[in-house]
Amino acid sequence: MTATVIDGKAFAAKVRAKVAEEVTRVKAAGVTPGLAVVLVGEDPASAVYVRNKGKQTVEVGMESIEHKLPADTSEADLLALIAQLNADPAVHGILCQLPVPDHIDADKVLAAIAPAKDVDGFHISNVGLLATGQKAMVPCTPLGCLMMLRDHHGSLSGMSAVVLGRSNIVGKPMAQLLLGDSCTVTIAHSRTKDLADVVRGADIVVAAVGRPEMVPGDWIKPGATVIDVGINRIEDGVKEDGTPRRRLVGDCHYDSCAAVAGAITPVPGGVGPMTIACLLANTLTACCRANGLEEPAGLTA
Ligand code: NDP
């Protein structure tokens, strides 16, 4: 079997188009959704993420509010800015780009964001709402995985799913979302025994471990759907100038998994592009909820 490739780039473009359409509807009701992104320090990777988020926010017709603070910003000043954004009715989503410098307690900052504006879905209130099957702001990467799975399968009810990884950002919320869609869910991690056998039983495998090509094709049940969240930069030979050639790979060994799976997301171009698309979807959802407007269908859990 050769797997169907789930094209995350194309799917993310569809999600952004849907968000843009809904932003037009919301604007007609007199509200412009606004996303505030806070960046502390000069981490180059974070600066690129923030730039991309700002660009895509504007492209879908939303307001992008960027706060770039110097690396020596005090925790108190950052918390004061969050409080100001919490109170600002033009701001519907707030995101503080992680990591923050060591002298700032990231947990304290995340806890300070108003849950209704917590478009990353990391606030403990949203974690609790998701865990109890209530309306929450859902973390963007697992939400993107869920959207792709629903799009591919329609109903996920009754399917067996294995989530590899138990982080608060990906693994745990992913498992909650799959449970919410009535999958039978196993969460595997570094202490899981007989991991290959655990994975072999699954109709859906979501890999979020951060280990390059850890899952080989012979762990995959024939016809299963493989969602590869991992983003790992590996060295692959040398360039003409003698410097190492690098490329991105997922947590699954793509060629061998694609030979067995029914469907698979590639890396790059799979889950990655969905994350910002879901951030925009969450901002729109937060804006609709804050203003008593109808929430768009298909853009949340
Ligand atoms: P974490 O490092 O926080 O969590 C990794 C998880 O994998 C842990 O639960 C760990 O288990 C488990 N694990 C590690 N090694 C093994 C192993 N050998 N066998 C089984 N389980 C193992 O990572 P994240 O969840 O933050 O990210 C995971 C991957 O997803 C990374 O590659 C990251 O770059 C990528 N990512 C991609 C995003 C995107 O937009 N596409 C967004 C977020 C992350 P234990 O708890 O026991 O230590």
Side-chain angles (χ1 to χ4, degrees), residues 141 164-167 169-171 188-191 195 207-211 214 229-232 251 271-272 275:
T141 300
L164 286 167
R166 55 175 163 179
S167 73
I169 294 171
V170 188
H189 45 77
S190 66
R191 308 292 173 89
L195 188 57
V209 287
R211 305 231 177 256
M214 189 191 93
V229 182
I231 302 176
N232 309 288
D251 290 340
V271 175
T275 299

Side-chain angles (χ1 to χ4, degrees), residues 32-36 57 62-65 90-94 283 287:
T32 300
L35 173 64
T57 303
M62 297 187 190
E63 188 79 28
S64 169
I65 304 127
V91 172
H92 304 99
I94 304 170
T283 304
C287 175

Side-chain angles (χ1 to χ4, degrees), residues 86-192:
N86 282 343
D88 186 342
V91 172
H92 304 99
I94 304 170
L95 180 152
C96 183
Q97 185 67 45
L98 299 178
V100 285
D102 289 345
H103 65 278
I104 295 174
D105 181 346
D107 287 338
K108 228 177 184 176
V109 175
L110 297 181
I113 296 173
K117 297 188 179 188
D118 168 38
V119 280
D120 258 341
F122 296 157
H123 192 285
I124 201 80
S125 297
N126 283 314
V127 175
L129 289 168
L130 177 62
T132 50
Q134 300 180 69
K135 219 182 232 188
M137 294 307 304
V138 177
C140 303
T141 300
L143 178 59
C145 296
L146 182 76
M147 282 186 190
M148 290 195 284
L149 283 166
R150 283 178 176 170
D151 184 66
H152 185 72
H153 287 286
S155 169
L156 307 181
S157 179
M159 296 179 87
S160 64
V162 168
V163 179
L164 286 167
R166 55 175 163 179
S167 73
N168 292 334
I169 294 171
V170 188
K172 282 182 197 149
M174 186 73 246
Q176 298 286 1
L177 289 171
L178 291 166
L179 196 57
D181 270 28
S182 298
C183 291
T184 303
V185 183
T186 303
I187 306 176
H189 45 77
S190 66
R191 308 292 173 89
T192 299

